[in-house]
Amino acid sequence: MMHHGTLLHVLAAPAPAPTLSDFNQLIWWLVLLKVGIVFVFLLLTTMLMIWAERRVIGRMQSRPGPNRAGPFGLLQPIADALKLPLKEDIIPRGADKLVFIIAPVLSATMAFISFAIIPWGPEVSIFHHHTPLQVADLPVAVLLVLAMSSIGVYGIVLAGWASGSPYSLLGALRSAAQVISYEIAMGLAFVAVFLYAGSLSTTAIVNAQQHEWYAWLLPVSFVIYLFTMVGETNRLPFDLPEGEGELVAGYHTEYSSMKFAMFYLAEYINMTTVSGLATTLFLGGWRAPWPLSLWSGANSGWWPVLWFLIKVFILLFCYIWLRGSLPRVRYDQLMAIGWKVLIPVSIVWILLIATVRAWRLDSHSTAPYVVFGFVIVLILILAWSWDNAAQQRAMKYAGPDADASDPSDLAEARRAGTDASAFPVPPLDLPHYHGVGLDAGVGVEVGASPSDTSPKEVTGA
């Protein structure tokens, strides 16, 4: 007869971690059930994010936010969801109708598929059948997210091209360049995780973080991924494809009704997907954080779903925090961050991690740490040299008398837009703002002589 204490220990022991072989024995109705759960979860998360974003940013800006539709405005997303399908669905006369309709469907579909490989719990029993809480897994599961992200860009590009609008086309081209740039850095951020986990399967990566999260082991990769997940989802401060000031609304300018809603839905689902991927690759996946991990039952049953959701919603809150705190960057700054900072740092970091990983597998010598310190010093020297060279180029372009110029004069030149080293900014007080050079009956006061060229206030329009 089994001892009572031993029985309790067996019941409290964590469930065995899922493996790739577990996905070869799934029942078809279980797969459909999990697909339905993921679909509903993504829709509910989108509605919750729309409400939370408006409420949180409202509090950050000292205003109430939505507070009329339901308690605390909770029914506002439902009101928006009912309003969009009832709006008039307009297709521009010069648009390619087939491509115009396919584009939003393509973006939304790819967003839904990407979440299929995210594990949100261990193996559990559903109707007396043991199954992992994950729709599917592959030996190259993480690459599926990159592939779906690349195909999703086609939806944005085709939407801009099919609209027949220059604003939409420019927004689509911006998005293509941005996503390609940040996707390279995102893929490089994954490489260090693959080296440590020894697999591209999301299940294996979560199992490899049983004792230590990769966010602490690979902090540079984690920070680079945080940058790229914002750039990939076109969110502030990297939402250049939707720059209202110069592009109206970017690639979806000509869209309305449900077609616009599908682009809207794809953006928020992509935010949830990249947050779930960050949780899986760097934050231990569904595993409980310390000190909750000291509890023997923290990583068994349905509790891991709660830990996974907490991590995902913390990252989603950071999206809202960024939107309420930071302004939109310039497009040249956006591309410079991707190509001149994230990608070079990722390459150097991968070389360093590969060297340390190889030496640690061979021996336990201190040589890897010496190399690590040497590379860090080398990176600092290169960064200092780069900054110094940039300052010298700026002084060279400013002219031969730049060194002798008064700093206040240089600041005034930058404000006026005449400094060659600064980003070109038009003057803020042009003569025609005061009526100079306009026709007599429009910009100059009645009765003024034609020879009078002094600045006048515009009195007619």
Side-chain angles (χ1 to χ4, degrees), residues 435-458:
V436 175
L438 300 178
D439 293 338
V442 176
V444 182
E445 292 180 354
V446 179
S449 63
S451 60
D452 187 8
T453 59
S454 59
K456 302 289 185 180
E457 183 179 358
V458 178

Side-chain angles (χ1 to χ4, degrees), residues 18-19 22-23 26 34 120-124 130-135:
T19 60
D22 295 328
F23 293 90
L26 295 179
K34 289 191 285 187
W120 29 283
E123 185 174 314
V124 298
H130 290 276
T131 180
L133 291 177
Q134 183 177 352
V135 175

Side-chain angles (χ1 to χ4, degrees), residues 138-323:
L138 302 166
V140 290
V142 180
L143 298 185
L144 176 69
V145 177
L146 295 177
M148 294 300 104
S149 175
S150 301
I151 298 176
V153 178
Y154 279 96
I156 296 175
V157 173
L158 292 177
W161 178 81
S163 296
S165 167
Y167 298 111
S168 301
L169 183 59
L170 286 174
L173 294 177
R174 274 188 177 186
S175 181
Q178 175 177 334
V179 173
I180 289 172
S181 303
Y182 280 77
E183 200 170 84
I184 296 173
M186 177 179 284
L188 292 174
F190 293 161
V191 173
V193 175
F194 301 156
L195 289 174
Y196 262 82
S199 174
L200 278 68
S201 163
T202 51
T203 302
I205 292 173
V206 172
N207 295 339
Q209 298 179 76
Q210 182 175 359
H211 302 291
E212 199 165 11
W213 293 358
Y214 287 153
W216 320 128
L217 287 176
L218 307 169
V220 176
S221 296
F222 182 51
V223 172
I224 291 174
Y225 180 78
L226 293 180
F227 274 90
T228 58
M229 64 187 279
V230 178
E232 279 282 298
T233 51
N234 298 330
R235 295 281 299 184
L236 272 168
F238 297 155
D239 65 335
L240 273 299
E242 303 174 20
E244 297 91 347
E246 64 272 21
L247 294 177
V248 186
Y251 57 90
H252 55 66
T253 299
E254 306 296 339
Y255 280 87
S256 59
S257 190
M258 279 303 296
K259 297 184 183 66
F260 171 78
M262 295 186 78
F263 279 122
Y264 200 56
L265 181 66
E267 177 181 325
Y268 280 89
I269 292 177
N270 283 327
M271 290 166 52
T272 307
T273 300
V274 295
S275 299
L277 192 61
T279 301
T280 301
L281 298 183
F282 297 100
L283 300 178
W286 43 262
R287 298 189 178 278
W290 187 90
L292 293 174
S293 58
L294 300 178
W295 172 37
S296 59
N299 293 323
S300 62
W302 294 90
W303 284 109
V305 178
L306 177 61
W307 319 138
F308 174 80
L309 292 178
I310 290 174
K311 297 173 188 178
V312 169
F313 283 118
I314 288 175
L315 292 173
L316 290 176
F317 173 78
C318 292
Y319 269 114
I320 303 175
W321 195 357
L322 289 176
R323 178 174 179 177

Side-chain angles (χ1 to χ4, degrees), residues 418-439:
T418 58
D419 181 19
S421 65
F423 190 80
V425 178
L428 300 180
D429 196 21
L430 293 175
H432 67 267
Y433 291 164
H434 302 280
V436 175
L438 300 178
D439 293 338

